[in-house]
Amino acid sequence: MRSDNARAGIQQAPARSLFNALGFTSEEMKKPMVGIVSSYNEIVPGHMNIDKIVEAVKLGVAEAGGVPVVFPAIAVCDGIAMGHVGMKYSLVTRDLIADSTECMAIAHQFDALVMVPNCDKNVPGLLMAAARLDLPTVFVSGGPMLAGHVGGQKRSLSSMFEAVGSYAAGTMTEDDVENFVENVCPTCGSCSGMYTANSMNCLTEALGMGLRGNGTIPAVYSERLRLAKRAGYAVMDMYNKGITARQIMTRDAIMNALTVDMALGCSTNSMLHLPAIAHEIGFDFDIEFANPISEKTPNLCHLAPAGPTYMEDLNEAGGVWAVMKELADIGLLNTDCMTVTGKTVGENIKNAINRNPEVIRPVDNPYTKTGGLAVLKGNLAPDGSVVKRSAVVAEMLVHEGPARVFDSEEDAIEAIKGGKIVEGDVVVIRYEGPKGGPGMREMLNPTSAIAGMGLGSSVALITDGRFSGASRGASIGHVSPEAAVGGPIALVEEGDMISIDIPNYKIELKVSDEELAARKAKWQPREPKVTTGYLRRYAAQVTSGNRGAILKTPEI
């Protein structure tokens, strides 16, 4: 046992005395020690129930012959951090989570791990740690929130943000907004649409690192407690069979996840997180992989914000495995990949059933024949940009309009809510990338304001920042290179014409090469927005969005 390094023999007698101080029995010190990484806290609705999940995991581990030991991971609620300086501290936690988990797991020589995450950066951060540590590891999330109900319709957090825009447009009263406040987020759990948290928890199943239902069983269902106990059983089975994370998290598994992403219509943030996870296994994931995968992968689901269905509906329809079965039946998945069940993908999904063809469209009747995400390139984004194609209305798939340029999210929101943005405009928000932000803030407030103002089918938004999974419309993010390093987005001027062609994966600034070169010669780097603390160190090390905003390893 790996944990014997910290517990066995005369040399480790001092350590055993400390285990005694923890209440370990001599019998327990002879059993595998399983770290349970708990992201429980009292500020994130998706994490407030995780203490219950962790207790169930502990029971499962103990029943299966292991010794469960809990240690923490941090998590930020993007919804609470949205729209102010706090959002700069969201994406950057992904690396803190991965690094701190690595430190705890190696320092204490755990034999295996169960990761209990839920929200946006918590899941990929722990997947990165799992790949890095290469131990027997199982994921079990806190689960999604149930949808809210307003006016007889299901609603979610994206409806809440759009209600604020509607109020600014004069189409909602303050009482209407408060009715949304009281009803759109009715339970604990990760917000109920196919936003980033739920996207990543579903893709954890597609990667093979979570049991069936990890991404879809609602947080408030007792079924999730049973799932947590089974995660405890599963990690001990993996330990006994010698199955480790990197045997599961392979190049093929990551490409499976990208394919499932296209079918589900996941958040654009997956195009930050999949490259970062791939980096941990030594796989150089290029975001342009998305386009050929998209070309052959039908979009089968339109969950909020793309459509009127929610995570509970996907769960009842058969969940992620039912989607995977649809894809496998037409040869789009590698079904030989190993999973945490000890079985292959093909063995897992062979009996999966699509119970609701309106929630999970069959492959012969998809929403679209192409996948949910697209990577656009051109002289405005030479290294690429990302759009959630499945959440773009048909009339905005091809668009050309004048640039309305803003150097911060706050300035853009003021203009949108002040009625200064009109039909046909292309809103450009720059200096909000990984380095320039720093921290690559989500732009849910401006996209929701555009939708709430009734401009969702006539105005595009382009940024070197990123979008919430709750954003919809022609919202193009991760523009690379970013403005802070002198990328072409830094050279856009008010009124420049910008052309967007999503079906053909193109984004162009209608300015001559000669004019762009002249502007580039005059461009000067901006003073850093943050000059102290973690964000300053992060800005100095982080890559652009097309590389997954990973941290560069310093030369030694």
Side-chain angles (χ1 to χ4, degrees), residues 35 103 152 170 196 208 217 281 291 299 310 327 355 373 392 408 423 454 487:
C103 291
T196 305
I217 297 170
I281 65 165
N291 290 343
N299 178 227
Y310 295 81
L327 299 175
R355 296 188 177 91
L373 297 180
V392 180
S408 73
E423 290 186 9

Side-chain angles (χ1 to χ4, degrees), residues 518-540:
R519 293 181 188 180
K520 177 69 173 178
K522 296 177 184 177
W523 178 81
Q524 295 292 325
R526 301 290 179 89
E527 288 296 317
K529 293 180 182 178
V530 179
T531 58
T532 60
Y534 177 59
L535 285 186
R536 181 64 180 137
R537 285 183 279 126
Y538 181 88

Side-chain angles (χ1 to χ4, degrees), residues 116-331:
V116 191
N118 211 22
C119 289
D120 295 27
K121 312 312 160 307
N122 197 240
V123 183
L126 290 178
L127 284 166
M128 290 163 65
R132 197 180 296 176
L133 291 162
D134 196 26
L135 296 171
T137 306
V138 176
F139 278 66
V140 55
S141 77
M145 185 183 290
L146 293 176
H149 292 81
V150 179
Q153 292 184 312
K154 285 186 176 181
R155 298 288 189 176
S156 63
L157 186 66
S158 54
S159 308
M160 185 71 258
F161 278 87
E162 290 178 14
V164 174
S166 297
Y167 174 79
T171 58
M172 267 194 186
T173 68
E174 189 172 346
D175 285 344
D176 292 333
V177 174
E178 286 304 312
N179 187 32
F180 274 71
V181 169
E182 293 293 327
N183 292 291
V184 297
C185 294
T187 71
C188 61
S190 48
C191 297
S192 55
M194 189 53 80
Y195 311 144
T196 305
N198 293 326
S199 294
M200 293 309 302
N201 282 322
C202 287
L203 296 186
T204 298
E205 285 190 59
L207 277 170
M209 290 297 292
L211 298 174
R212 182 175 190 171
N214 175 71
T216 60
I217 297 170
V220 294
Y221 284 13
S222 297
E223 184 181 359
R224 183 151 292 275
L225 297 177
R226 297 195 295 272
L227 180 74
K229 291 176 185 176
R230 292 191 181 107
Y233 303 157
V235 79
M236 290 307 300
D237 185 56
M238 289 177 70
Y239 172 79
N240 292 328
K241 292 177 177 176
I243 300 172
T244 63
R246 283 194 206 167
Q247 294 173 33
I248 296 169
M249 298 170 74
T250 62
R251 185 188 193 283
D252 287 338
I254 289 170
M255 297 307 285
N256 275 352
L258 179 58
T259 302
V260 174
D261 184 316
M262 293 295 175
L264 286 172
C266 290
S267 164
T268 52
N269 280 315
S270 64
M271 295 305 288
L272 287 174
H273 301 321
L274 288 177
I277 295 162
H279 178 72
E280 296 293 343
I281 65 165
F283 168 29
D284 187 13
F285 183 103
D286 190 323
I287 61 170
E288 282 197 81
F289 292 159
N291 290 343
I293 294 288
S294 178
E295 285 295 327
K296 61 184 181 181
T297 305
N299 178 227
L300 306 181
C301 300
H302 263 194
L303 284 84
T309 54
Y310 295 81
M311 295 306 296
E312 63 207 64
D313 303 311
L314 178 59
N315 187 61
E316 291 166 11
V320 175
W321 283 16
V323 175
M324 294 176 72
K325 180 67 160 57
E326 292 280 353
L327 299 175
D329 283 349
I330 57 172

Side-chain angles (χ1 to χ4, degrees), residues 330-354:
I330 57 172
L332 294 182
L333 293 184
N334 184 325
T335 55
D336 293 329
C337 292
M338 179 54 61
T339 74
V340 294
T341 66
K343 299 177 181 178
T344 65
V345 167
E347 291 171 317
N348 284 343
I349 67 175
K350 67 179 179 181
N351 295 319
I353 298 171
N354 181 353

